[in-house]
Amino acid sequence: MASTSHNWLSLFVPALKRHRERVILRPYLGPAPDWGRITFREWDQLLAAATLHWRGALASLEPGDVVGVWHVARLCTPHGPLTRRLRRLTGSRWTDLLHICGVAAAGFVPQLFSAVFTPHVVKALLALGGAEAVVFDADAFPDAPRESALRAWPAPGADALRAIVAEHPTTLETAEADLPAVGERDACAVFHSSGTTSGLPKLIPTSHLLMKTFIEHKFPDCLVSSEYDASSYVYNSLGSLAHVGSFQCFHAAAVHGACTAQASSMAMAPAEMLHMVRACGLNALVQYGTFVAAHIRAARDGDAHVRDALHAFRQILYTGVALPDEDEQWAADEGLSMSV
């Protein structure tokens, strides 16, 4: 039977109220590097603004329809000039998370894309996913309506969302009672594989039950130690905020009152990691094994600051690939708190 209690957002939305004065996200602001600060209270209001916007903009769709979220950014290529290229579902902008959840809270199923997918691949995946519409970044990709061949709506930026909040200064917040009633096995989002084995990525629908299980069980079992209050953790983002790993970990961390510091990319280097420790209080590292190995090599090569940071982390979780044997042995000999 459909119920709002089956909706994974029924775990997330109350957390925005419980922890309203705490910091939910330290968004990456630039190459200095520097990070902003967004509280649970502000996130609650901005999510309500995004939900209000998408509930109105997508009113012609049916509840449960799939809505693609498409973000294209200007990137510097190795050959010099700036070119337009698909970057990620949202991913680099923190407002991406608000739009993904706003679309979901408005009663639809967001379909998210990886950083490497070309417009041709995205168009094919939208068709395979049965998407009825596309949400896109108008500043980065004004041609999205033509490229996708679907009904398309531009996503409002942070200033536009704050303007919606300003219009309702005392009343706008996300209400659990207003969440869509769903079945626990209904899809809450559609992610994708990398496409490395078959050429075209495979659709990975994720159910509300799976998302809730990750938040309530897998995340705390893997990434929260009984020695510490869960809300005292500061994690880094794994990569694109629209990637399944970062998306799940950000929302699970928030449900437990913890903060996420946004990395500039999944390949966060030792120097940026140290900046994040100092500026954001990063105390738990979550990265692909390739990049954790880079930190270990820096420490092994004599960088005392990196070595001290690795020792100070409550946990270092790596995924994707195994560490080289010599790095794994060094970490064990140093007594680092490592997990896979």
Side-chain angles (χ1 to χ4, degrees):
M1 175 182 288
S3 170
T4 57
S5 65
H6 293 324
N7 195 315
W8 76 268
L9 288 168
S10 68
L11 297 178
F12 180 65
V13 169
L16 298 177
K17 279 69 163 146
R18 286 197 307 273
H19 309 292
R20 56 176 59 238
E21 302 308 324
R22 300 184 65 86
V23 176
I24 188 173
L25 181 69
R26 300 296 304 272
Y28 182 76
L29 298 182
D34 193 17
W35 286 268
R37 184 185 300 265
I38 302 174
T39 66
F40 280 77
R41 180 195 296 273
E42 184 179 7
W43 199 267
D44 188 9
Q45 294 175 323
L46 291 169
L47 176 56
T51 303
L52 183 66
H53 173 82
W54 293 119
R55 189 174 286 138
L58 304 176
S60 61
L61 302 185
E62 294 295 323
D65 278 349
V66 175
V67 176
V69 186
W70 197 355
H71 176 82
V72 177
R74 287 183 178 271
L75 299 178
C76 235
T77 71
H79 307 292
L82 292 172
T83 60
R84 286 193 186 276
R85 140 176 213 276
L86 181 66
R87 182 165 181 175
R88 61 195 64 180
L89 158 60
T90 40
S92 61
R93 301 189 186 192
W94 56 267
T95 49
D96 296 344
L97 288 170
L98 291 167
H99 290 306
I100 295 166
C101 287
V103 167
F108 309 101
V109 179
Q111 183 178 0
L112 320 184
F113 300 98
S114 169
V116 298
F117 298 165
T118 64
H120 174 75
V121 170
V122 170
K123 185 176 180 179
L125 292 173
L126 287 168
L128 286 173
E132 296 291 338
V134 172
V135 169
F136 68 100
D137 185 333
D139 291 334
F141 194 42
D143 295 330
R146 177 176 55 81
E147 292 283 352
S148 67
L150 293 172
R151 288 174 288 180
W153 284 267
D159 289 343
L161 292 177
R162 289 193 173 106
I164 296 174
V165 172
E167 293 173 4
H168 309 81
T170 61
T171 60
L172 193 62
E173 64 176 21
T174 312
E176 185 178 358
D178 293 337
L179 293 176
V182 298
E184 63 179 8
R185 297 189 183 278
D186 290 348
C188 70
V190 179
F191 298 99
H192 303 90
S193 69
S194 63
T196 54
T197 57
S198 63
L200 184 67
K202 297 178 178 64
L203 273 62
I204 306 175
T206 297
S207 70
H208 288 271
L209 176 61
L210 184 61
M211 188 73 175
K212 291 182 72 173
T213 300
F214 179 87
I215 290 171
E216 293 183 302
H217 302 291
K218 185 174 182 179
F219 182 86
D221 289 349
C222 294
L223 281 166
V224 179
S225 169
S226 59
E227 298 179 38
Y228 304 99
D229 185 319
S231 65
S232 67
Y233 274 82
V234 179
Y235 303 95
N236 60 286
S237 61
L238 184 60
S240 163
L241 296 175
H243 182 271
V244 59
S246 286
F247 184 81
Q248 289 183 328
C249 285
F250 168 78
H251 291 97
V255 167
H256 295 280
C259 175
T260 298
Q262 184 186 8
S264 63
S265 74
M266 69 173 67
M268 179 175 63
E272 183 180 333
M273 181 266 287
L274 290 176
H275 279 297
M276 192 180 287
V277 168
R278 295 163 186 153
C280 304
L282 180 72
N283 53 31
L285 183 69
V286 183
Q287 268 191 302
Y288 290 102
T290 301
F291 310 120
V292 171
H295 302 316
I296 290 176
R297 284 195 298 274
R300 291 177 60 194
D301 290 343
D303 191 321
H305 295 297
V306 173
R307 182 178 179 275
D308 290 345
L310 294 177
H311 274 276
F313 285 134
R314 298 174 182 179
Q315 187 168 6
I316 301 170
L317 184 144
Y318 62 95
T319 186
V321 297
L323 291 176
D325 291 343
E326 61 272 22
D327 290 337
E328 189 172 2
Q329 186 60 54
W330 183 88
D333 292 343
E334 290 288 315
L336 301 184
S337 182
M338 306 286 289
S339 61
V340 181

